[in-house]
Every structure is written in structure tokens, then in C-alpha cells.
Amino acid sequence: MHNSIIFILLLFSFDLLIQSSAKDKSNRFSFDLFHRDSKISPLYNRSITPSKLLEKAVLDSRTRVNLFKDFTHNNRKDFISEVTPNEAGSYLMKLSLGSPKVEVLASISTGSDLVWVQCETCEKCFGKEEPRYKPTSSSTYNKISFYAAYCGALEHRHIGEGGVCDYSYLYQDGTHTSGVLSTDNFHMKSTVDEEELTIPVVFGCSNLINGQYARGVQGMIGLGSGELSLIFQLKSHIQNRFSYCLLPSTAETSSKLVLGHEAMISGDEVVSTSLRLDKLSTLYFVSLDGVTVENKERKSPPSPVDIVIDSGTTMTFLHSSIYDDLVEHVKDVIDINPVDSPPGRIFNLCYKQQSTEINFPDITFHFGGGADVRLKPENIFEEYRDMHCLMIDRNDQLSIFGNVAQVNFQVEFDYEEMKVSFARADCANQS
């Protein structure tokens, strides 16, 4: 009981420290993001062709939407809303934690909440040759009590040695990661004046990862709406908002994740729609009223469709009440014969590359509240082998606005006003 009281007091002090660290600071704190398949990524493999990488990303997207469906339709917390354990998320970031600081490469996801890092004590982990975070070497490391509120946010938890919070996070295929819920300093540097901010963050110190994973990646950074996510923990400091500006996988510069006041986007072209948080899945939902292909008649479902805004899913998925007419309108605008049967059924609609330029249409997504987001062909089609293929697929269980659709948009999540905002941008030139 004595240890439990100490842990609870420690967590109370931890919350006060976050508030104290945030006082009188309004600098812009940002992280460089890079697509896992880009040339600047530590995971880049020059031996894999772009078509193979795209094929793999599409298959991962289908796996991911199935994971999300288990949350939203079966009301189950048995599985975390994340990519399968043998792959990294679409975008990666580097961060420093501990005292002294250790740099960690982690994948990010707006579709999950827990922040976790594989620790030096991990007996069964991926990338054994990679340097790992060593909690015993950090003077600011502490374990979280089983009785603390953060531990209560975990579905699968039990009392560990000394009354600490041991956790297990399960995936759809039965693999999982487990360890001790902990806290240590995370270090962020201001991009305005180079000042560094050090904040204690609750995270999972994983000592078992059952399942292979991408070599070099050492953890996950959850940016979802759950109370264990990095965003929720830092919300008092970052003025309840964050934004990102994503580049395609072919880019040779980094994308940006911005936290705090300067994550706010403004201008005449900014459009905003109401944000709905799903407590069970930690997903970000908005309402989709319909889509328009060029100057074709707007196609609207019988009632608005809930759609997830997700940075970790490559493709966009739409309900058949929208998707089927969208495909027919795309065919009408392009007005050439598509490939009869795309190889492997990886894609549903493809066009052969040809000497004359293909007239690819813009597609406008009409989100709730009059937020019209106009997608260019780069957000809609990708090159695959000798074809151009549609990066939108049908799914009647769950709609997702994927990261290809979000390329070269600033996307802001505002917890204060509960809205998501979009503005087209040149993400390569974001400072």
C-alpha cells in the first residue's frame, strides 16, 4: 500500500509538472515526419520497386480498415486500432527520451492512443541489433502504479511486481506487445527559437513483442483521441491542437507534425468541419455529405456518412452508396477504356499509361458544415506498373479518408472547438 501511495503522488506531481512546463510558453514545436518508403527513411530499401511498395501499402490499408471495423462495429477493445505488428505505420518520426537522452525511431498513427517503446529489457523484440532505450540508465524514469488513472485506461492490465501497471496490447491476428506502463522525459525542440522543452510522458516500456516488425522501428506514437495518446497528455501545453502536412512517399524532404499554437492554419481557403471523437476506438470521425467528380452531379448518400480521418491508412475507403457512382463518373470524365481486370485485383480501377495525357478529374469531398475539400489527381491516382490506378476503394462497414488523399494539405485537429480544418499547401516548403 505504501508503494501505491508513492506512485499516486508521483503521478499527481507528473500532472503538475506538465502544467508548469507549459506555463508562458507558446512556441511552435514540430517534428520531422518521413514516409517509411521514401528515400530519406531509415527503412528505405532500394531493391524493392515502387510498384511493389505501393502494392504492399494497399494491402496494409485493407488490413487496417478491417482492424478498425472490429472496434466500431463489434464494440471490442480486444484489439488495438493499429497496423499489423509486422509493419511500421506509413509515417515515422524520431524523438528523444530519458535522462540522458536516447533517440528513438517510431511510427505515428492518428488511429491509436498508446505511446510505446521497446526497452532494453525486451527478451523477444524486433531489431535486436538496434540500440534500445534502457530505463535503468535514465535518472528520470519511473513505473506507473496499477491504481493510477492512466493504468485504468488500459483494457488489458494486471498488477506487476511492486504494484506497478503491467499491460498487454493485443492485435487482430493474436500477436501483441506487453510491458510496464512507465513515465520518462520526452524532449521537444522549438522551431522558433531552438529552445528545448522537456515534458514527462506516460508510455509503455515494452519487454515483449510477439510478432515480427519493421527493422529499425522501435515503437509507436499514438496521436489518437484516447487519454494515453501523446496529444491527450500534452493537450494543456499544445493549446489542444496539432496539425500535419504530409508529403508523398516519393518525396525527398520531410513532412511536418506541428504541436501547439502555430499548428493553427488560417487563410481564405481554410475549410473546417465538426470533429467527433470515438472513445472506444480513439478514432477521429467527421461527417461526409457526398462527393463530386469534376462538374458531374453531386452524389450524396441517403444520410451523411461517418468517415475516419487517418494518417496511417494509405487508401481512401467509401461506402458503396458513394463509391459506385463516383467510379462511374470518373470513367465518364476520363472517357477511355480502363484495364479490364487489373492484375492481382490489387486495384478496382486502372488505366494504361499512354503517349497522350489522360484527363484525370478532380474530386471534391463535401464534409459536414460546407467544408469542401478538392482533391487533385495526385490525391486520387498512383502509378502502378504501367498503369494509373484509383486510390479509393469500396467498404460498406467503415469509410476512411487516407493519407494519399491528404498529401499536400495542412490538416489541423482542434480539441478546443472540436473541428478538423483543411487547407491545400506545398508541404515541401513548410518550415
Side-chain angles (χ1 to χ4, degrees):
M1 179 61 71
H2 178 68
N3 285 342
S4 298
I5 294 174
I6 292 176
F7 277 122
I8 293 170
L9 289 174
L10 173 66
L11 194 62
F12 177 72
S13 300
F14 159 74
D15 288 334
L16 290 179
L17 182 56
I18 286 185
Q19 296 174 25
S20 175
S21 299
K23 188 178 180 181
D24 298 326
K25 289 181 180 287
S26 59
N27 281 335
R28 166 192 173 119
F29 292 91
S30 71
F31 295 93
D32 288 337
L33 306 179
F34 34 90
H35 195 282
R36 68 183 184 191
D37 297 329
S38 71
K39 291 182 180 179
I40 62 171
S41 167
L43 307 186
Y44 177 66
N45 186 341
R46 65 180 66 251
S47 67
I48 303 178
T49 66
S51 290
K52 278 293 183 183
L53 290 173
L54 180 61
E55 182 177 317
K56 184 173 172 303
V58 170
L59 294 175
D60 287 347
S61 293
R62 294 200 174 113
T63 299
R64 188 174 176 87
V65 73
N66 287 332
L67 287 172
F68 287 161
K69 286 191 300 186
D70 283 316
F71 272 105
T72 56
H73 295 283
N74 297 329
N75 289 327
R76 297 182 63 182
K77 291 183 72 174
D78 296 350
F79 308 129
I80 69 168
S81 53
E82 191 46 81
V83 290
T84 51
N86 62 342
E87 296 301 336
S90 294
Y91 288 87
L92 310 172
M93 64 180 279
K94 291 180 180 178
L95 59 89
S96 297
L97 75 157
S99 305
K101 293 185 290 187
V102 175
E103 189 176 76
V104 171
L105 177 67
S107 59
I108 69 161
S109 174
T110 52
S112 66
D113 59 345
L114 183 67
V115 177
W116 62 264
V117 173
Q118 64 171 348
C119 288
E120 186 263 347
T121 53
C122 190
E123 298 177 357
K124 187 177 180 183
C125 279
F126 44 83
K128 289 184 171 58
E129 71 283 356
E130 301 294 335
R132 295 186 191 149
Y133 165 73
K134 189 175 182 179
T136 55
S137 297
S138 176
S139 62
T140 49
Y141 173 81
N142 286 287
K143 298 177 181 179
I144 297 295
S145 166
F146 177 81
Y147 302 100
Y150 282 111
C151 186
L154 291 162
E155 180 72 9
H156 298 279
R157 65 191 186 279
H158 61 275
I159 301 178
E161 184 177 351
V164 302
C165 180
D166 285 352
Y167 70 88
S168 181
Y169 243 42
L170 304 182
Y171 295 80
Q172 190 180 35
D173 63 0
T175 58
H176 69 279
T177 178
S178 60
V180 180
L181 197 64
S182 309
T183 179
D184 205 342
N185 286 343
F186 277 50
H187 307 274
M188 298 186 293
K189 183 171 288 187
S190 169
T191 55
V192 175
D193 58 12
E194 294 298 312
E195 181 181 0
E196 185 172 85
L197 178 68
T198 299
I199 297 180
V201 169
V202 172
F203 70 102
C205 184
S206 286
N207 52 44
L208 172 66
I209 299 172
N210 182 14
Q212 296 182 347
Y213 203 80
R215 175 180 174 180
V217 178
Q218 297 161 291
M220 287 278 188
I221 305 298
L223 301 179
S225 62
E227 59 190 288
L228 288 169
S229 80
L230 184 66
I231 298 304
F232 186 91
Q233 293 186 56
L234 301 183
K235 67 178 184 178
S236 61
H237 172 72
I238 63 175
Q239 292 81 47
N240 286 304
R241 62 167 50 89
F242 71 98
S243 67
Y244 53 71
C245 202
L246 301 179
L247 286 164
S249 61
T250 54
E252 297 188 21
T253 55
S254 59
S255 304
K256 293 292 181 184
L257 169 68
V258 182
L259 310 177
H261 178 73
E262 291 200 24
M264 182 186 300
I265 58 179
S266 59
D268 295 338
E269 296 184 0
V270 176
V271 296
S272 301
T273 187
S274 296
L275 170 65
R276 180 175 70 81
L277 306 181
D278 183 85
K279 296 299 183 183
L280 183 64
S281 66
T282 76
L283 300 175
Y284 295 108
F285 283 90
V286 298
S287 179
L288 179 64
D289 294 336
V291 298
T292 300
V293 179
E294 288 290 1
N295 58 353
K296 295 289 184 180
E297 181 182 355
R298 172 172 165 176
K299 175 58 183 175
S300 300
S303 59
V305 172
D306 282 342
I307 185 168
V308 176
I309 308 295
D310 183 42
S311 64
T313 305
T314 299
M315 294 194 77
T316 289
F317 294 91
L318 294 175
H319 192 275
S320 57
S321 63
I322 300 176
Y323 175 84
D324 292 343
D325 280 347
L326 178 148
V327 168
E328 291 307 310
H329 286 174
V330 167
K331 290 178 179 178
D332 288 345
V333 172
I334 293 178
D335 197 26
I336 61 175
N337 292 328
V339 176
D340 286 339
S341 180
R345 302 302 300 172
I346 301 300
F347 298 96
N348 293 328
L349 180 64
C350 292
Y351 291 90
K352 282 281 189 182
Q353 295 179 12
Q354 54 188 43
S355 56
T356 57
E357 186 174 343
I358 300 176
N359 181 32
F360 291 113
D362 290 356
I363 296 178
T364 300
F365 278 62
H366 304 284
F367 295 113
D372 294 344
V373 176
R374 190 176 182 89
L375 305 185
K376 300 295 185 182
E378 68 183 70
N379 303 111
I380 305 164
F381 284 86
E382 289 273 13
E383 290 189 18
Y384 176 67
R385 299 183 182 177
D386 60 345
M387 298 172 289
H388 298 282
C389 295
L390 183 68
M391 294 297 292
I392 303 175
D393 203 353
R394 179 196 296 107
N395 193 296
D396 282 345
Q397 299 299 310
L398 188 65
S399 295
I400 294 180
F401 195 63
N403 61 51
V404 170
Q406 298 177 59
V407 162
N408 282 319
F409 279 93
Q410 282 186 289
V411 183
E412 177 200 348
F413 295 81
D414 184 342
Y415 280 76
E416 198 69 37
E417 297 189 21
M418 291 301 292
K419 67 180 182 180
V420 179
S421 299
F422 302 87
R424 182 160 286 282
D426 180 3
C427 293
N429 291 317
Q430 295 290 304
S431 60

